[in-house]
Amino acid sequence: MDKVQDNRAWFLIIPVFLIVAFSAVVPLMTVVNYSVQEIFGPGQTFFVGTEWFEAVLKDDRLHDALVRQIIYSLAVLLIEIPLGILIALGMPGGRSAKTSLTLVLLALPLLIPFNVVGTIWQIFGRGDIGLLGATFRAIGIDYNYTNNSAHAWITVLVMDVWHWTSLVALLCYAGLQSIPPAFYQAAKIDGASKWAVFRYIQLPKMRGVLIIAVLLRFMDSFMIYTEPFVLTGGGPGNSTTFLSQYLTQMAVGQFDIGKAAAFSIVYFLIVLLFSFIFYTIITRTGEGEKK
């Protein structure tokens, strides 16, 4: 007897497709349309083809911002991923008040809005009223993130580490808690060292959450805007001006919609490319170790 299939369940996901279409696909198609148009006003447009894409790819300022963005995002990953793993390994396990308190304290930075984070560090780093700036001056270090490009860059990086390392730590902690106790018992019987336990038990079991952590932190750091804008305004000079700030200046400040649309598409493709590279490297590394 043939099995009867009931396809009425597909009607339940139609609202989801409609929401995705209006929130993602339609805006994307609109940006693609704008990227090949010269816009003078409502109803005043004409087709320019790939002219805006050529202008974006030949813009030296955007090239410099892209280099700064890549260096910044790689620095974020190199610091936050290992630091998050170390914090997760040092966190207490089990169901106790100590564990709950640790999780709450660790999650606090994640609850602070982006603009508030920038304001906090703006005040924190001031030499007259800020604790960080006053401390550096007290020990003889002339720290000034508003005039020194290196100080501004380091401050923005440390601010991001303070804000988002907790996310990596919480993800890694969730991965560690999913490891069955039998794994640790077997390792103890075999006399495995702490490094061997981490290398062959904990790290492989955290690979799934590490993929999520790497992709989230890369995409977020590559699109960072609010925190450095509030803290330094992109300065001194252009030392902390990233791609998102150039895009905002182009679209809002100059109202160059066509070029901004073309740049946003290039921006999106760069993020997609790097995310694919990171995902491929991590997954293939895991497959190689299994073999």
Side-chain angles (χ1 to χ4, degrees):
M1 185 176 179
D2 296 335
K3 184 178 179 181
V4 178
Q5 293 184 351
D6 187 358
N7 295 321
R8 288 178 297 177
W10 287 99
F11 289 101
L12 298 176
I13 63 174
I14 290 179
V16 177
F17 282 114
L18 293 176
I19 292 174
V20 171
F22 281 102
S23 64
V25 178
V26 173
L28 179 60
M29 293 300 99
T30 302
V31 171
V32 172
N33 179 53
Y34 286 165
S35 67
V36 294
Q37 303 281 347
E38 173 68 86
I39 302 174
F40 293 101
Q44 298 178 344
T45 64
F46 66 89
F47 182 78
V48 296
T50 60
E51 179 181 329
W52 292 129
F53 290 95
E54 295 175 2
V56 167
L57 296 177
K58 294 179 181 179
D59 194 331
D60 293 334
R61 297 178 304 166
L62 299 181
H63 296 167
D64 295 338
L66 176 61
V67 172
R68 284 194 296 271
Q69 192 76 70
I70 293 175
I71 295 174
Y72 176 78
S73 295
L74 291 178
V76 164
L77 293 179
L78 290 174
I79 295 174
E80 293 184 12
I81 300 300
L83 184 58
I85 294 174
L86 289 175
I87 294 174
L89 291 173
M91 291 174 61
R95 298 180 179 179
S96 63
K98 185 178 180 180
T99 302
S100 300
L101 179 61
T102 303
L103 292 174
V104 170
L105 292 177
L106 201 60
L108 284 178
L110 302 176
L111 303 177
I112 305 175
F114 300 158
N115 58 331
V116 177
V117 171
T119 304
I120 290 173
W121 280 84
Q122 185 183 55
I123 298 173
F124 187 55
R126 288 182 55 175
D128 51 352
I129 61 174
L131 180 61
L132 180 64
T135 301
F136 278 134
R137 292 199 175 190
I139 61 178
I141 299 177
D142 186 17
Y143 168 79
N144 191 334
Y145 67 85
T146 60
N147 295 327
N148 189 298
S149 298
H151 293 172
W153 179 272
I154 294 173
T155 304
V156 172
L157 181 60
V158 173
M159 175 179 61
D160 192 274
V161 171
W162 173 83
H163 192 195
W164 289 109
T165 301
S166 297
L167 175 64
V168 180
L170 291 174
L171 289 172
C172 292
Y173 181 77
L176 291 173
Q177 294 303 302
S178 66
I179 301 175
F183 283 67
Y184 295 109
Q185 295 171 1
K188 185 176 181 180
I189 293 174
D190 293 339
S193 63
K194 290 184 178 181
W195 168 250
V197 171
F198 173 75
R199 177 68 176 78
Y200 297 105
I201 296 178
Q202 294 173 326
L203 187 59
K205 293 298 182 181
M206 286 194 298
R207 181 167 289 109
V209 295
L210 284 177
I211 292 176
I212 298 174
V214 169
L215 293 180
L216 285 178
R217 288 309 307 127
F218 170 76
M219 289 187 289
D220 189 63
S221 64
F222 208 84
M223 297 183 292
I224 189 171
Y225 173 79
T226 306
E227 295 97 318
F229 178 76
V230 174
L231 179 63
T232 64
N238 293 322
S239 59
T240 57
T241 301
F242 298 111
L243 290 174
S244 58
Q245 290 169 276
Y246 270 120
L247 178 59
T248 304
Q249 293 173 4
M250 195 180 301
V252 180
Q254 304 171 8
F255 202 71
D256 200 347
I257 303 298
K259 188 176 181 181
F263 176 55
S264 64
I265 293 175
V266 175
Y267 198 174
F268 168 74
L269 293 176
I270 292 174
V271 174
L272 195 64
L273 174 63
F274 276 99
S275 299
F276 175 76
I277 292 173
F278 285 128
Y279 176 80
T280 303
I281 292 174
I282 297 174
T283 52
R284 287 188 178 180
T285 302
E287 293 174 356
E289 291 179 354
K290 291 179 182 179
K291 295 178 181 179

